């Protein structure tokens, strides 16, 4: 960074400074520097004390000036004065999770379909700092959400899954697994997880080969079964070095996603524009004028 580059993150607060100046001017003029003494003391007595030098109108203004100064500093702090920094490193997570959801009629028309979606939300809540993605499949596979760190968007997409989302009939999990492997490679994920939500239809030699290919990439394949798991589930989980979960194992699935997460970070190769808010330090300066309120008067 060359030179001092300062900006205001919340400049709207400066408008309140004008109002503060107006209020301060009105108070000082109305009170004349004597506070409420003008109303509490007989005017003739106050005039006589002033003539005798017993009234110091300037010192009585001190508390009001201190209060106005502190409020002015607070408003400056709220405006968000910030320094620009371009030397800030950013990191991305080299791990990621892809959720593959069978949206064929045999799954979406089952009474346990909402429970499967709930299972998926448990998985989303366990991502931590890892990015996630969503693939839906039937007779073909489609990317519903690419790898993203925006878990809120991912969860919204997940909640909108419906029986009409996949136009192709049938159930081809091997296509979803192949697409998942491609997404992991494109995102340069080196230790990801792939979670397949399925009723078991379509699992066979082709999907088993795709599961082994995912494991070769350093990722793991786990399966969430809509119904009672078939032997093919354990075979695919073994090939993918993952695990098998039923819809009743939400806590186990969530714990496994958290505890088995493999988090690796890599510095990004592009700079970030970062502003450091200095307002918090200005708030400390606001205490200085207030110290005037605690000074001891002359004996």
């Amino acid at each position: 960074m060359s030179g001092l580059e300062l900006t205001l993150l919340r400049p709207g607060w400066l408008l309140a400074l004008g109002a503060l100046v107006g209020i301060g001017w009105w108070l000082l003029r109305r009170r004349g520097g004597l506070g409420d003494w003008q109303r509490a003391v007989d005017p003739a007595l106050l005039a006589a004390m002033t003539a005798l030098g017993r009234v110091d109108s300037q010192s009585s203004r001190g508390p009001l000036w201190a209060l106005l100064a502190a409020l002015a500093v607070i408003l400056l702090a709220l405006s968000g004065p910030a320094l620009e920094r371009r030397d800030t490193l950013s990191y991305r997570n080299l791990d990621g999770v892809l959720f593959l959801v069978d949206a064929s009629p045999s799954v979406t028309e089952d009474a346990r379909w909402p429970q499967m979606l709930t299972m998926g939300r448990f998985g989303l809540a366990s991502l931590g700092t890892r990015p996630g993605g969503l693939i839906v499949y039937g007779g073909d596979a489609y990317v519903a959400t690419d790898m993203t760190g925006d878990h809120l968007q991912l969860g919204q997409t997940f909640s909108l899954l419906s029986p009409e989302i996949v136009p192709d009939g049938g159930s081809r999990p091997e296509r979803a697994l192949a697409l998942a492997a491609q997404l992991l490679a494109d995102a340069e994920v080196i230790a990801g997880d792939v979670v397949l939500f399925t009723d078991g239809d379509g699992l066979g030699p082709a999907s088993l080969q795709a599961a082994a290919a995912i494991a070769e990439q350093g990722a793991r394949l786990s399966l969430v079964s809509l119904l009672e798991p078939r032997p093919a589930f354990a075979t695919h989980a073994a090939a993918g070095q993952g695990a098998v979960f039923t819809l009743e194992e939400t806590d186990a699935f969530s714990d496994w996603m958290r505890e088995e997460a493999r988090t690796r970070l890599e510095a990004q190769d592009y700079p970030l524009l970062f502003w450091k808010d200095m307002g918090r330090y200005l708030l400390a300066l606001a205490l200085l004028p207030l110290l005037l309120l605690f000074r001891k008067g002359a004996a």
Side-chain angles (χ1 to χ4, degrees):
M1 182 177 66
S2 58
L4 183 65
E5 300 186 33
L6 184 69
T7 191
L8 297 177
L9 301 178
R10 299 173 293 275
W13 281 101
L14 293 181
L15 297 176
L17 279 176
L20 181 64
V21 171
I23 293 173
W25 176 81
W26 178 77
L27 288 174
L28 291 171
R29 183 178 181 183
R30 179 172 179 269
R31 296 188 173 192
L34 296 176
D36 291 329
W37 281 108
Q38 288 179 318
R39 292 183 301 188
V41 179
D42 181 76
L45 177 59
L46 185 61
M49 294 179 65
T50 303
L52 293 173
R54 299 296 184 181
V55 177
D56 186 357
S57 60
Q58 296 301 319
S59 63
S60 62
R61 294 172 183 258
L64 182 57
W65 280 114
L67 180 60
L68 291 175
L71 290 175
V73 175
I74 290 173
L75 290 176
L76 286 174
L78 290 174
S79 68
L83 295 175
E84 181 183 350
R85 293 182 56 186
R86 294 184 178 272
D87 57 348
T88 303
L89 289 177
S90 66
Y91 296 88
R92 72 178 185 92
N93 203 319
L94 294 176
D95 303 330
V97 180
L98 281 174
F99 299 95
L100 282 53
V101 180
D102 186 348
S104 62
S106 64
V107 175
T108 57
E109 294 176 1
D110 192 280
R112 307 187 76 187
W113 166 247
Q115 192 174 348
M116 175 174 278
L117 294 180
T118 300
M119 190 77 163
R121 296 188 190 98
F122 270 85
L124 293 176
S126 306
L127 287 178
T129 62
R130 293 175 294 173
L134 177 62
I135 294 175
V136 294
Y137 73 94
D140 206 347
Y142 303 90
V143 177
T145 302
D146 208 341
M147 296 294 290
T148 177
D150 189 347
H151 297 164
L152 178 60
Q153 174 194 351
L154 185 58
Q156 290 174 343
T157 305
F158 207 101
S159 64
L160 294 175
L161 294 182
S162 64
E164 299 81 18
I165 197 169
V166 177
D168 309 284
S171 184
R172 301 289 298 276
E174 71 277 5
R175 294 193 175 184
L177 293 171
L179 183 56
Q182 184 61 48
L183 286 181
L184 293 176
D186 293 343
E188 298 180 349
V189 172
I190 63 174
D193 281 292
V194 177
V195 183
L196 180 64
F197 295 79
T198 177
D199 60 352
D201 286 354
L203 294 180
S207 59
L208 188 61
Q209 183 177 359
I214 286 177
E216 291 176 0
Q217 291 183 220
R220 298 177 298 194
L221 172 65
S222 298
L223 298 91
V224 175
S225 175
L226 178 70
L227 307 172
E228 191 67 25
R230 306 174 186 176
F233 279 76
T235 305
H236 281 69
Q241 301 179 8
V244 178
F245 301 93
T246 65
L247 296 184
E248 287 74 24
E249 297 177 306
T250 51
D251 290 339
F253 176 58
S254 181
D255 292 342
W256 184 86
M257 290 285 292
R258 289 192 183 98
E259 295 172 1
E260 298 298 325
R262 297 165 290 177
T263 302
R264 304 179 190 178
L265 301 178
E266 179 186 60
Q268 299 277 26
D269 55 359
Y270 54 84
L272 286 181
L273 178 59
F274 178 78
W275 295 97
K276 184 176 182 180
D277 194 342
M278 307 299 291
R280 70 192 75 176
Y281 305 109
L282 281 180
L283 287 177
L285 295 178
L287 297 175
L288 297 180
L290 295 179
L291 293 177
L292 297 174
L293 301 177
F294 298 95
R295 66 176 181 173
K296 296 180 62 177

